[in-house]
Amino acid sequence: MVAQSQFTTLCSTTMAFWRWIWPASKKPQDCPFCLLSAGSTEGRTPSILFQDEQIVVFKDRSPASYRHYLAVPVHHIKNIQSLHQSEADYDLVAHMHKVGQSLLLRDAPDATGYRFGFHRPPFNSVDHLHLHCMALPYISWWKGFKYVSVGCLGSYVSAETVLKYLDSSGLPKGPAPQQDKPEMPV
């Protein structure tokens, strides 16, 4: 009886820990980025840099680089695995990328480089699609380690890779975004 009780306790503790790491389903009303895009900051004072009907861009609360912004869609999209090869998703990610580039070029023209990308689940910190827009250098090597792309097994994927995947037409849609040297918008 004691062994079964210990086993039951171990199983329930393990499942509680597992649900804490990978919650089954968070509701959009619990999502901090949904609250932020709806205008509710609930005690937080984010620095919103840009907002339109599709996206909100704000400063990351724990920056990893010289300038670190997050571009999030207004409507809840869980993560990059929730995106589909469609013109609508391609246009959304391209818009997030273009606005992020413009803001970084405005705010950090002297940066040593620029990075744009997404974390793959389960490595994303918030279950709401968000594009990391960073002007380099990184603050420390440790903070920069989270944003290294190492192919299909890595935790971080570049915006350029996501855009190539989302392009369902196979036709070029203008110049491909440059990872390290975005061009100044006209």
Side-chain angles (χ1 to χ4, degrees):
M1 185 69 171
V2 172
Q4 186 176 1
S5 174
Q6 289 174 339
F7 179 74
T8 304
T9 303
L10 177 64
C11 286
S12 65
T13 304
T14 304
M15 289 308 295
F17 179 71
W18 188 258
R19 280 191 299 273
W20 177 72
I21 292 176
W22 283 287
S25 62
K26 283 193 169 186
K27 299 173 187 158
Q29 62 263 26
D30 298 332
C31 173
F33 292 167
C34 285
L35 293 171
L36 188 107
S37 64
S40 172
T41 57
E42 290 190 2
R44 297 179 294 271
T45 55
S47 300
I48 294 178
L49 304 167
F50 177 87
Q51 186 168 9
D52 65 11
E53 64 280 345
Q54 290 183 304
I55 67 170
V56 177
V57 181
F58 54 93
K59 292 181 181 179
D60 191 305
R61 68 179 179 155
S62 179
S65 63
Y66 168 57
R67 293 281 188 272
H68 188 163
Y69 303 153
L70 297 178
V72 302
V74 171
H75 299 291
H76 188 81
I77 299 172
K78 188 171 180 177
N79 53 46
I80 60 171
Q81 291 177 341
S82 301
L83 296 172
H84 304 285
Q85 289 182 320
S86 69
E87 190 172 338
D89 285 352
Y90 179 92
D91 290 344
L92 174 66
V93 173
H95 180 57
M96 293 167 66
H97 187 259
K98 182 179 177 181
V99 170
Q101 280 184 332
S102 297
L103 291 171
L104 285 179
L105 285 171
R106 180 193 74 192
D107 298 343
D110 56 340
T112 60
Y114 301 91
R115 296 284 315 264
F116 303 91
F118 303 89
H119 280 105
R120 291 184 181 154
F123 302 103
N124 50 331
S125 56
V126 177
D127 277 335
H128 186 122
L129 182 69
H130 55 282
L131 173 66
H132 291 270
C133 306
M134 296 177 286
L136 304 179
Y138 291 112
I139 291 173
S140 68
W141 72 270
W142 176 248
K143 288 203 174 222
F145 183 71
K146 291 179 8 181
Y147 303 96
V148 174
S149 182
V150 288
C152 65
L153 299 176
S155 65
Y156 187 76
V157 60
S158 72
E160 183 179 34
T161 302
V162 173
L163 285 169
K164 284 180 184 176
Y165 167 76
L166 294 175
D167 183 13
S168 61
S169 69
L171 300 173
K173 296 186 184 281
Q178 299 297 315
Q179 279 303 105
D180 295 326
K181 297 180 183 175
E183 296 178 17
M184 186 61 94
V186 180

